[in-house]
Amino acid sequence: MKFDKSLSFARDLDRQDPLRSFRSRFYFPLLGKKKALYFCGNSLGLEPKNTLGILKEELEDWSKLGVEAHFHARRPWMHYHKFSKNALARLTGAKPSEVVAMNQLTVNLHLMMTSFYRPDSQRFRIIVEAGAFSSDQYAFESQIRLHHLEPENALVEIYPRSGEQTLRMEDILTAIRQHGEHLSLVIFPGVQYYSGQRFNIGAIAEAAHAVGAYAGFDLAHAVGNVPLTLHKDNADFAVWCSYKYLNAGPGAVAGAFVHERHAHRQDLQRLAGWWGYEEKDRFLMRKGFRPATGVDGWQLSNFPVFSGAPLMASLKHFDEAGMPALRRKSVRLTGYLEFLLKEINKQHDYFSIITPADPDERGCQLSLLMKRNGKKIFDRMTKGGVIADWREPDVIRLSPVPLYNSFEDIFRLAAIMAEVSADS
Ligand SMILES: *Cc1c(COP(=O)(O)O)cnc(C)c1O
């Protein structure tokens, strides 16, 4: 689509936007006395207005029913992990039996690595992207050490080519082939947190499987942001958090996917807990763990209702809007942001956009590598009413979110950036 830099054009796009009414379902934080221009949904999604209602219902059921709420609450707590399955399956392109809400992202990454990283003297390497999110790096290192191996030998990090900011698919596939018989596991993000680059999950899984390795995915920045087809793509496992694009609130219950073909495997070692036990006999409290089939068999503890209730509230909006419509709007929003950023950069070279220019290779986020005075520009943007995200040493991340950002938001953001960049 051809963009125009006038305010009236932005307003026209908002009028034509079939999802425009969703914006009023969210609270926008204040900066000073003004509603902030919020572009930080990649870090913490905004609070849906229906969150409080569902939390109140759970509190009420607790006060009225006590322990009986496990069976007689509006949403019986015993079964709470099941209530989000259909919506999570739609978001991730999975079967309901392949997804479950549980724990936190890093915990789930450890649980999955415990099962899918079983190194031996021949096959012990893990391929990951260089510069992975810190928590993931610590999980990789510590899992490797748990098996008495050294990250220097076992962890293979793939770097961009010199002078480039993002990875080439061919380089990822070549590395997988090269490490072939020594490769145990490939772990990639769906969307990389720093660069905003989106990866082809199906192609990575296929290459990993071709050499006899597993493929797992960290979808922290992908779920609720880009369409996913985990089942068809044959991912072995995936993990995600729910407080970024899923808007379930700080520390909300996270999620995990295990492909159906592993659903009945008894040979996969795991860290077990009672909530992962075969459901019908869970309360017999017997010795000897027998896993439930599917991803449910990786659960440890009973469900955190107060961090899962907001997820239920938020998933309603995703179901109503639908991922295809959200993605259509997202491609347009981000394309419009990119257009206005390039206008700002026309006269002066303030930054370069390191996120891939091809919409298929990115989600909603654009990452700007600032050429000079980056932090100063960022601080002035904040003073001007923008909530965005600064990553050391010199990157500003901007994420227009199709559920609650408007084209006019982007117009205003760009106007503020043009002004503060010129003075910095
Ligand atoms: C946000 C994020 C995390 C955070 O981990 P938690 O366990 O939720 O604290 C981890 N990895 C990636 C890639 C992330 O983007």
Side-chain angles (χ1 to χ4, degrees), residues 117-140:
Y117 180 56
R118 311 288 306 163
D120 57 32
S121 59
Q122 164 80 3
R123 232 179 236 290
F124 56 90
R125 292 202 180 126
I126 306 177
I127 288 187
V128 300
E129 94 275 23
F133 194 94
S134 60
S135 197
D136 299 52
Q137 292 189 41
Y138 308 146
F140 305 153

mmCIF file of all heavy atoms in Angstrom, residues 117-140:
data_model
loop_
_atom_site.group_PDB
_atom_site.id
_atom_site.type_symbol
_atom_site.label_atom_id
_atom_site.label_comp_id
_atom_site.label_asym_id
_atom_site.label_seq_id
_atom_site.Cartn_x
_atom_site.Cartn_y
_atom_site.Cartn_z
ATOM 1 N N TYR A 117 16.878 -32.377 25.476
ATOM 2 C CA TYR A 117 18.340 -32.301 25.385
ATOM 3 C C TYR A 117 18.909 -33.424 26.243
ATOM 4 O O TYR A 117 19.023 -33.302 27.467
ATOM 5 C CB TYR A 117 18.851 -30.930 25.843
ATOM 6 C CG TYR A 117 20.355 -30.799 25.763
ATOM 7 C CD1 TYR A 117 21.019 -31.017 24.557
ATOM 8 C CD2 TYR A 117 21.108 -30.460 26.892
ATOM 9 C CE1 TYR A 117 22.400 -30.914 24.480
ATOM 10 C CE2 TYR A 117 22.497 -30.349 26.818
ATOM 11 C CZ TYR A 117 23.137 -30.580 25.602
ATOM 12 O OH TYR A 117 24.498 -30.484 25.533
ATOM 13 N N ARG A 118 19.203 -34.537 25.596
ATOM 14 C CA ARG A 118 19.724 -35.724 26.278
ATOM 15 C C ARG A 118 21.044 -36.082 25.616
ATOM 16 O O ARG A 118 21.127 -37.038 24.851
ATOM 17 C CB ARG A 118 18.742 -36.896 26.160
ATOM 18 C CG ARG A 118 17.303 -36.583 26.518
ATOM 19 C CD ARG A 118 17.075 -36.385 27.991
ATOM 20 N NE ARG A 118 17.552 -37.496 28.793
ATOM 21 C CZ ARG A 118 17.753 -37.407 30.103
ATOM 22 N NH1 ARG A 118 17.542 -36.275 30.740
ATOM 23 N NH2 ARG A 118 18.182 -38.452 30.766
ATOM 24 N N PRO A 119 22.076 -35.279 25.869
ATOM 25 C CA PRO A 119 23.318 -35.454 25.113
ATOM 26 C C PRO A 119 24.011 -36.781 25.431
ATOM 27 O O PRO A 119 23.893 -37.294 26.534
ATOM 28 C CB PRO A 119 24.170 -34.275 25.579
ATOM 29 C CG PRO A 119 23.642 -33.934 26.934
ATOM 30 C CD PRO A 119 22.172 -34.216 26.878
ATOM 31 N N ASP A 120 24.708 -37.323 24.440
ATOM 32 C CA ASP A 120 25.639 -38.434 24.687
ATOM 33 C C ASP A 120 26.979 -38.049 24.072
ATOM 34 O O ASP A 120 27.134 -36.931 23.582
ATOM 35 C CB ASP A 120 25.080 -39.760 24.143
ATOM 36 C CG ASP A 120 24.771 -39.692 22.653
ATOM 37 O OD1 ASP A 120 25.486 -38.957 21.925
ATOM 38 O OD2 ASP A 120 23.820 -40.353 22.208
ATOM 39 N N SER A 121 27.946 -38.971 24.074
ATOM 40 C CA SER A 121 29.299 -38.594 23.653
ATOM 41 C C SER A 121 29.327 -38.199 22.171
ATOM 42 O O SER A 121 30.201 -37.458 21.734
ATOM 43 C CB SER A 121 30.258 -39.745 23.914
ATOM 44 O OG SER A 121 29.813 -40.881 23.204
ATOM 45 N N GLN A 122 28.364 -38.664 21.405
ATOM 46 C CA GLN A 122 28.335 -38.387 19.973
ATOM 47 C C GLN A 122 27.523 -37.109 19.678
ATOM 48 O O GLN A 122 27.965 -36.207 18.983
ATOM 49 C CB GLN A 122 27.695 -39.609 19.282
ATOM 50 C CG GLN A 122 27.232 -39.407 17.863
ATOM 51 C CD GLN A 122 28.395 -39.491 16.886
ATOM 52 O OE1 GLN A 122 29.526 -39.750 17.267
ATOM 53 N NE2 GLN A 122 28.118 -39.222 15.613
ATOM 54 N N ARG A 123 26.353 -37.033 20.253
ATOM 55 C CA ARG A 123 25.394 -35.963 19.943
ATOM 56 C C ARG A 123 25.192 -35.102 21.179
ATOM 57 O O ARG A 123 24.509 -35.506 22.114
ATOM 58 C CB ARG A 123 24.054 -36.642 19.620
ATOM 59 C CG ARG A 123 23.438 -36.219 18.342
ATOM 60 C CD ARG A 123 22.145 -36.961 18.120
ATOM 61 N NE ARG A 123 22.141 -37.673 16.853
ATOM 62 C CZ ARG A 123 22.094 -37.091 15.672
ATOM 63 N NH1 ARG A 123 22.023 -35.770 15.569
ATOM 64 N NH2 ARG A 123 22.119 -37.806 14.569
ATOM 65 N N PHE A 124 25.799 -33.930 21.180
ATOM 66 C CA PHE A 124 25.739 -33.138 22.413
ATOM 67 C C PHE A 124 25.628 -31.632 22.156
ATOM 68 O O PHE A 124 25.589 -30.841 23.080
ATOM 69 C CB PHE A 124 26.991 -33.417 23.272
ATOM 70 C CG PHE A 124 28.286 -33.163 22.533
ATOM 71 C CD1 PHE A 124 28.864 -31.910 22.569
ATOM 72 C CD2 PHE A 124 28.880 -34.175 21.789
ATOM 73 C CE1 PHE A 124 30.041 -31.667 21.873
ATOM 74 C CE2 PHE A 124 30.055 -33.931 21.086
ATOM 75 C CZ PHE A 124 30.630 -32.680 21.127
ATOM 76 N N ARG A 125 25.587 -31.230 20.892
ATOM 77 C CA ARG A 125 25.589 -29.783 20.617
ATOM 78 C C ARG A 125 24.182 -29.203 20.533
ATOM 79 O O ARG A 125 23.232 -29.882 20.155
ATOM 80 C CB ARG A 125 26.328 -29.494 19.308
ATOM 81 C CG ARG A 125 27.805 -29.781 19.444
ATOM 82 C CD ARG A 125 28.657 -29.059 18.427
ATOM 83 N NE ARG A 125 30.039 -29.445 18.692
ATOM 84 C CZ ARG A 125 30.858 -29.961 17.782
ATOM 85 N NH1 ARG A 125 30.474 -30.085 16.522
ATOM 86 N NH2 ARG A 125 32.072 -30.315 18.107
ATOM 87 N N ILE A 126 24.117 -27.906 20.861
ATOM 88 C CA ILE A 126 22.875 -27.133 20.721
ATOM 89 C C ILE A 126 23.191 -25.943 19.819
ATOM 90 O O ILE A 126 24.172 -25.235 20.061
ATOM 91 C CB ILE A 126 22.382 -26.592 22.086
ATOM 92 C CG1 ILE A 126 22.236 -27.715 23.109
ATOM 93 C CG2 ILE A 126 21.064 -25.845 21.914
ATOM 94 C CD1 ILE A 126 21.818 -27.211 24.499
ATOM 95 N N ILE A 127 22.399 -25.735 18.803
ATOM 96 C CA ILE A 127 22.563 -24.536 17.960
ATOM 97 C C ILE A 127 21.529 -23.492 18.368
ATOM 98 O O ILE A 127 20.339 -23.805 18.495
ATOM 99 C CB ILE A 127 22.412 -24.885 16.458
ATOM 100 C CG1 ILE A 127 23.647 -25.657 15.991
ATOM 101 C CG2 ILE A 127 22.199 -23.619 15.619
ATOM 102 C CD1 ILE A 127 23.689 -25.906 14.489
ATOM 103 N N VAL A 128 22.021 -22.275 18.579
ATOM 104 C CA VAL A 128 21.143 -21.159 18.948
ATOM 105 C C VAL A 128 21.590 -19.908 18.193
ATOM 106 O O VAL A 128 22.670 -19.901 17.599
ATOM 107 C CB VAL A 128 21.198 -20.843 20.469
ATOM 108 C CG1 VAL A 128 20.768 -22.058 21.270
ATOM 109 C CG2 VAL A 128 22.590 -20.387 20.893
ATOM 110 N N GLU A 129 20.779 -18.858 18.236
ATOM 111 C CA GLU A 129 21.204 -17.599 17.639
ATOM 112 C C GLU A 129 22.137 -16.889 18.619
ATOM 113 O O GLU A 129 21.925 -16.965 19.831
ATOM 114 C CB GLU A 129 19.990 -16.728 17.282
ATOM 115 C CG GLU A 129 19.526 -15.688 18.299
ATOM 116 C CD GLU A 129 18.579 -16.235 19.374
ATOM 117 O OE1 GLU A 129 18.589 -17.450 19.632
ATOM 118 O OE2 GLU A 129 17.858 -15.409 19.977
ATOM 119 N N ALA A 130 23.194 -16.240 18.101
ATOM 120 C CA ALA A 130 24.062 -15.440 18.970
ATOM 121 C C ALA A 130 23.232 -14.291 19.528
ATOM 122 O O ALA A 130 22.328 -13.786 18.857
ATOM 123 C CB ALA A 130 25.242 -14.908 18.175
ATOM 124 N N GLY A 131 23.535 -13.894 20.767
ATOM 125 C CA GLY A 131 22.813 -12.769 21.346
ATOM 126 C C GLY A 131 21.397 -13.130 21.753
ATOM 127 O O GLY A 131 20.497 -12.284 21.729
ATOM 128 N N ALA A 132 21.179 -14.390 22.142
ATOM 129 C CA ALA A 132 19.855 -14.779 22.628
ATOM 130 C C ALA A 132 19.551 -14.015 23.920
ATOM 131 O O ALA A 132 20.455 -13.558 24.619
ATOM 132 C CB ALA A 132 19.800 -16.285 22.893
ATOM 133 N N PHE A 133 18.291 -13.883 24.235
ATOM 134 C CA PHE A 133 17.832 -13.252 25.482
ATOM 135 C C PHE A 133 18.590 -13.871 26.662
ATOM 136 O O PHE A 133 18.798 -15.077 26.716
ATOM 137 C CB PHE A 133 16.329 -13.505 25.622
ATOM 138 C CG PHE A 133 15.661 -12.662 26.664
ATOM 139 C CD1 PHE A 133 15.051 -11.462 26.332
ATOM 140 C CD2 PHE A 133 15.614 -13.076 27.988
ATOM 141 C CE1 PHE A 133 14.424 -10.692 27.289
ATOM 142 C CE2 PHE A 133 14.985 -12.306 28.956
ATOM 143 C CZ PHE A 133 14.388 -11.109 28.606
ATOM 144 N N SER A 134 18.983 -13.025 27.610
ATOM 145 C CA SER A 134 19.859 -13.495 28.690
ATOM 146 C C SER A 134 19.330 -14.732 29.401
ATOM 147 O O SER A 134 20.058 -15.699 29.623
ATOM 148 C CB SER A 134 20.077 -12.368 29.697
ATOM 149 O OG SER A 134 18.820 -11.980 30.243
ATOM 150 N N SER A 135 18.061 -14.731 29.727
ATOM 151 C CA SER A 135 17.515 -15.847 30.494
ATOM 152 C C SER A 135 17.671 -17.157 29.711
ATOM 153 O O SER A 135 17.997 -18.200 30.281
ATOM 154 C CB SER A 135 16.046 -15.587 30.815
ATOM 155 O OG SER A 135 15.612 -16.436 31.853
ATOM 156 N N ASP A 136 17.469 -17.093 28.418
ATOM 157 C CA ASP A 136 17.635 -18.283 27.573
ATOM 158 C C ASP A 136 19.095 -18.729 27.577
ATOM 159 O O ASP A 136 19.392 -19.920 27.680
ATOM 160 C CB ASP A 136 17.176 -17.989 26.133
ATOM 161 C CG ASP A 136 15.706 -17.603 26.063
ATOM 162 O OD1 ASP A 136 15.301 -16.698 26.815
ATOM 163 O OD2 ASP A 136 14.962 -18.198 25.263
ATOM 164 N N GLN A 137 20.008 -17.761 27.482
ATOM 165 C CA GLN A 137 21.433 -18.115 27.518
ATOM 166 C C GLN A 137 21.788 -18.837 28.807
ATOM 167 O O GLN A 137 22.535 -19.813 28.798
ATOM 168 C CB GLN A 137 22.299 -16.850 27.408
ATOM 169 C CG GLN A 137 22.225 -16.173 26.060
ATOM 170 C CD GLN A 137 23.267 -15.064 25.940
ATOM 171 O OE1 GLN A 137 24.408 -15.228 26.389
ATOM 172 N NE2 GLN A 137 22.892 -13.950 25.354
ATOM 173 N N TYR A 138 21.250 -18.324 29.933
ATOM 174 C CA TYR A 138 21.561 -18.967 31.217
ATOM 175 C C TYR A 138 20.961 -20.362 31.272
ATOM 176 O O TYR A 138 21.569 -21.284 31.830
ATOM 177 C CB TYR A 138 21.051 -18.128 32.398
ATOM 178 C CG TYR A 138 21.505 -16.678 32.355
ATOM 179 C CD1 TYR A 138 20.699 -15.647 32.828
ATOM 180 C CD2 TYR A 138 22.750 -16.349 31.815
ATOM 181 C CE1 TYR A 138 21.106 -14.322 32.767
ATOM 182 C CE2 TYR A 138 23.166 -15.022 31.753
ATOM 183 C CZ TYR A 138 22.334 -14.015 32.219
ATOM 184 O OH TYR A 138 22.728 -12.717 32.143
ATOM 185 N N ALA A 139 19.789 -20.514 30.691
ATOM 186 C CA ALA A 139 19.169 -21.849 30.651
ATOM 187 C C ALA A 139 20.038 -22.791 29.806
ATOM 188 O O ALA A 139 20.322 -23.913 30.234
ATOM 189 C CB ALA A 139 17.752 -21.766 30.076
ATOM 190 N N PHE A 140 20.489 -22.327 28.635
ATOM 191 C CA PHE A 140 21.318 -23.186 27.771
ATOM 192 C C PHE A 140 22.590 -23.621 28.518
ATOM 193 O O PHE A 140 22.911 -24.797 28.583
ATOM 194 C CB PHE A 140 21.739 -22.465 26.475
ATOM 195 C CG PHE A 140 20.600 -21.909 25.653
ATOM 196 C CD1 PHE A 140 20.790 -20.803 24.823
ATOM 197 C CD2 PHE A 140 19.328 -22.480 25.702
ATOM 198 C CE1 PHE A 140 19.750 -20.284 24.063
ATOM 199 C CE2 PHE A 140 18.278 -21.974 24.944
ATOM 200 C CZ PHE A 140 18.494 -20.852 24.131
#
